[in-house]
Amino acid sequence: MREDTVLTYSSYLALEEILTAQRPVSESHDETLFIIVHQVYELWFKQLLHEFAELQLELAGGFTAHAMRTLHRSLKLMRLAVSQMDVMETMTPFQFAAFRGKLGTSSGFQSAQFREIEAVLGRRDERMLLGQAEGTPARARIEAAMARPTLYDSLLTYLYLRGYEVPQDRLHRDVRLPLEPSESLQDLLLRVYRDDTGAAQLCERLVDLDECLQEWRYRHLKMVERTIGARPGTGGSSGGAYLRASLTPSFPDLWAVRSMA
């Protein structure tokens, strides 16, 4: 934009581009809702990735208050994403069926940004690359995310900076591998909780975040089941079967320590 151009509400928010980005492929009244809900999801996913990147920097710097604020915002964003399922569930199976056949190979499983979110939260699974063609920027972003430290790794760095004796094999683990439960880390987390400082509160907010992600998965599963039943998902995905299998915690140690309190 030229410096002498007057900045307006519409130009600042790029409303012309946003409001013309809905391009239905059918005459169905309900398809516009379907498109907008998913576009809004992608915008919130973008913001979540933005917040997670900041959160990891704050944790790696040992900054309790800053990390707490960013986690608080991230939780609000996640809960907002969950609440959007209420809007999607206003669509009946027959309304969805009116345009579902015209969606071709497109599927929510192809959301590169959600795959990035999963990677930041610890998922390491080559199946996350399915639906992303070789050499595409989307595939490269997912691969890069799976090669970087997870949010849980950043928490361990934070705890080390706060004076806790984090096992070196966990502090310097190969971050390309999946997170595995660790009894030594669970013992450490138990001490963190007993100290009851800001570190314990950060752990609790991460549990909130993990629970919220599982709630999103569950709501997504039930929305799929009530919309298409047991049929395969759009684009040939396994639909509900895949979602049901994904209902597992991202931070197993933070859950395991509850049995030790």
Side-chain angles (χ1 to χ4, degrees):
M1 183 179 294
R2 291 171 19 206
E3 291 186 8
D4 60 346
T5 301
V6 176
L7 191 64
T8 66
Y9 176 82
S10 179
S11 62
Y12 177 64
L13 297 179
L15 291 184
E16 184 175 351
E17 294 92 328
I18 292 173
L19 297 179
T20 57
Q22 296 75 48
R23 295 185 285 273
V25 295
S26 76
E27 299 298 321
S28 170
H29 167 81
D30 301 287
E31 189 184 354
T32 299
L33 172 69
F34 184 83
I35 293 171
I36 289 176
V37 167
H38 285 83
Q39 287 178 335
V40 171
Y41 266 131
E42 291 296 330
L43 288 173
W44 288 135
F45 291 164
K46 180 177 182 178
Q47 186 63 33
L48 269 171
L49 289 167
H50 186 60
E51 299 298 339
F52 286 162
E54 181 70 9
L55 176 58
Q56 289 194 271
L57 288 174
E58 291 163 349
L59 289 171
F63 302 123
T64 305
H66 292 79
M68 196 73 78
R69 284 196 295 269
T70 305
L71 253 176
H72 178 72
R73 177 183 291 174
S74 299
L75 273 167
K76 293 292 186 182
L77 291 170
M78 285 290 292
R79 287 170 177 153
L80 185 58
V82 171
S83 71
Q84 284 190 191
M85 292 295 178
D86 293 335
V87 180
M88 281 293 292
E89 288 179 348
T90 66
M91 188 181 302
T92 70
F94 301 98
Q95 290 171 328
F96 183 42
F99 62 88
R100 183 180 183 232
K102 295 183 178 293
L103 298 181
T105 61
S106 65
S107 167
F109 289 92
Q110 297 166 349
S111 171
Q113 289 196 119
F114 187 71
R115 294 304 186 209
E116 283 188 76
I117 289 172
E118 289 183 305
V120 171
L121 295 180
R123 188 176 176 198
R124 298 293 184 266
D125 186 342
E126 290 300 314
R127 290 176 298 176
M128 292 166 63
L129 299 174
L130 296 177
Q132 310 296 337
E134 291 274 2
T136 59
R139 187 184 180 100
R141 287 197 303 271
I142 300 169
E143 291 174 331
M146 288 198 291
R148 291 195 299 265
T150 69
L151 193 49
Y152 188 67
D153 293 314
S154 298
L155 172 68
L156 297 184
T157 299
Y158 166 84
L159 292 176
Y160 174 78
L161 293 174
R162 305 307 295 183
Y164 290 97
E165 296 181 5
V166 180
Q168 290 297 304
D169 65 320
R170 295 293 168 162
L171 196 61
H172 302 293
R173 75 178 190 92
D174 186 346
V175 299
R176 296 169 298 178
L177 299 178
L179 291 168
E180 297 290 346
S182 164
E183 290 187 5
S184 60
L185 279 180
Q186 290 163 25
D187 290 338
L188 171 65
L189 290 170
L190 190 59
R191 293 197 295 274
V192 171
Y193 273 103
R194 285 174 174 163
D195 289 344
D196 198 23
T197 63
Q201 291 303 309
L202 273 175
C203 289
E204 278 299 276
R205 298 294 77 76
L206 283 174
V207 171
D208 288 339
L209 187 67
D210 198 353
E211 184 176 2
C212 201
L213 177 66
Q214 292 178 66
E215 183 181 359
W216 190 89
R217 291 189 188 282
Y218 177 77
R219 288 293 305 276
H220 193 186
L221 167 64
K222 301 316 291 184
M223 184 269 293
V224 167
E225 287 182 339
R226 70 183 288 165
T227 305
I228 65 171
R231 287 177 293 175
T234 308
S237 64
S238 59
Y242 169 84
L243 292 168
R244 192 175 294 105
S246 70
L247 289 170
T248 55
S250 299
F251 311 133
D253 289 324
L254 287 172
W255 290 97
V257 76
R258 270 116 181 88
S259 301
M260 304 164 63

